């Protein structure tokens, strides 16, 4: 649900899923020094038709000019506002296994306005370690850390059996968004958003798409 001019409107899920891709390619164009682009050319870059691109963007405002196209930097900034990333978002990560460590070592978060400030784990051998400048803390301190550091988003990379309980604890402490890598569908109250990244499901979808090639 997105508010527009004081009213709540429903944006199709497919459109929301395409926004990060548009944003990523706009960032690349800015780094290349490109100032403007037509809907046709930008559509070719992102893999959609020009009418589909215009329709997607028109859900959020009139960003283009006929005969000129889109001002790339302006469109980038407007989409940043639409996605809520024009301001700093503070994050924590729970579960410092192989996947958790790989995410901590990602260099893309900060460039997109997301700041991973701490990681948490139950394993005493990991507590106190520094990984890519991020300190691993005791999971028992997570509620106080969230409250004291204005944490908006939590990343969960823990086993299935621990995920829901940890999600409940973080939500009670004030987290409003969860990026969930645990193989379980989390139950959250209204006002809290979840993005699930079930890695094996992605592999199964890929298998479905290529199955005919095996014949």
């Amino acid at each position: 649900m997105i508010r527009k001019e004081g009213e709540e409107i429903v944006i199709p899920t497919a459109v929301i899923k395409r926004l990060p891709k548009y944003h990523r390619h706009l960032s690349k164009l800015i780094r290349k020094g490109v100032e403007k682009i037509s809907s046709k050319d930008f559509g070719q870059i992102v893999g959609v038709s020009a009418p589909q691109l215009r329709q997607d963007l028109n859900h959020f405002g009139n960003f283009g000019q006929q005969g000129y196209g889109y001002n790339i930097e302006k469109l980038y900034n407007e989409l940043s506002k639409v996605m809520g990333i024009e301001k700093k978002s503070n994050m924590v990560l729970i579960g410092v296994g192989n996947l958790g460590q790989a995410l901590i070592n990602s260099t893309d978060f900060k460039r997109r306005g997301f700041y991973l400030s701490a990681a948490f784990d139950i394993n005493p051998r990991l507590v106190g370690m520094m990984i890519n400048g991020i300190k691993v803390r005791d999971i028992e301190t997570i509620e106080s850390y969230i409250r004291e550091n204005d944490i908006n988003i939590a990343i969960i990379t823990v086993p299935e059996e621990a995920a829901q309980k940890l999600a409940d604890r973080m939500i009670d402490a004030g987290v409003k968004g969860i990026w969930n890598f645990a193989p379980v569908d989390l139950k959250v109250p209204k006002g809290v958003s979840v993005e699930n990244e079930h890695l094996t499901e992605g592999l199964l979808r890929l298998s479905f798409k290529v199955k005919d090639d095996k014949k």
Side-chain angles (χ1 to χ4, degrees):
M1 192 77 71
I2 292 179
R3 291 186 179 276
K4 183 178 179 182
E5 296 180 355
E7 298 181 358
E8 287 187 344
I9 60 173
V10 177
I11 305 298
T13 301
V15 175
I16 295 172
K17 287 183 176 180
R18 285 192 286 268
L19 288 182
K21 187 175 184 180
Y22 297 164
H23 192 265
R24 173 165 52 87
H25 282 285
L26 287 168
S27 177
K28 290 182 179 179
L29 290 169
I30 290 173
R31 293 198 299 273
K32 290 179 180 178
V34 182
E35 296 182 358
K36 66 178 182 177
I37 195 168
S38 68
S39 57
K40 179 182 178 181
D41 289 343
F42 191 39
Q44 290 177 343
I45 290 172
V46 299
V48 301
S49 67
Q52 180 67 71
L53 175 69
R54 291 193 295 268
Q55 183 178 345
D56 286 355
L57 297 178
N58 284 343
H59 282 290
F60 309 102
N62 184 15
F63 303 127
Q65 299 178 27
Q66 189 172 2
Y68 177 86
Y70 296 103
N71 178 295
I72 291 172
E73 186 170 359
K74 180 181 178 181
L75 182 57
Y76 176 85
N77 291 335
E78 290 296 333
L79 290 188
S80 294
K81 293 178 183 177
V82 166
M83 293 187 291
I85 58 176
E86 83 282 11
K87 297 180 180 179
K88 173 182 172 180
S89 291
N90 294 317
M91 306 188 301
V92 294
L93 180 142
I94 301 88
V96 191
N98 291 334
L99 177 57
Q101 292 188 35
L103 289 172
I104 293 172
N105 282 308
S106 171
T107 59
D108 200 45
F109 290 142
K110 189 176 292 186
R111 186 166 60 85
R112 297 187 179 276
F114 297 94
Y115 292 80
L116 183 63
S117 62
F120 295 83
D121 204 278
I122 196 173
N123 188 341
R125 291 180 297 178
L126 296 175
V127 173
M129 287 180 56
M130 297 293 293
I131 303 173
N132 196 24
I134 303 298
K135 184 178 180 179
V136 180
R137 301 169 184 265
D138 190 326
I139 191 65
E140 293 307 315
T141 66
I142 193 167
E143 286 93 344
S144 60
Y145 187 91
I146 288 171
R147 294 189 182 103
E148 292 168 6
N149 292 276
D150 190 27
I151 301 300
N152 312 112
I153 297 173
I155 306 171
I156 292 180
T157 59
V158 300
E160 176 181 354
E161 59 272 15
Q164 184 65 58
K165 183 178 180 180
L166 283 169
D168 293 341
R169 289 174 60 182
M170 290 184 293
I171 291 167
D172 288 343
V175 162
K176 296 298 182 183
I178 296 176
W179 195 14
N180 175 39
F181 287 84
V184 61
D185 294 325
L186 298 176
K187 297 177 182 178
V188 300
K190 186 177 181 180
V192 177
S193 299
V194 176
E195 278 294 324
N196 293 304
E197 300 288 352
H198 298 331
L199 302 181
T200 54
E201 289 185 8
L203 186 59
L204 291 172
R205 288 192 295 270
L206 182 62
S207 177
F208 174 81
K209 292 176 181 178
V210 303
K211 70 181 189 306
D212 290 338
D213 294 337
K214 299 176 183 178
K215 296 179 181 179

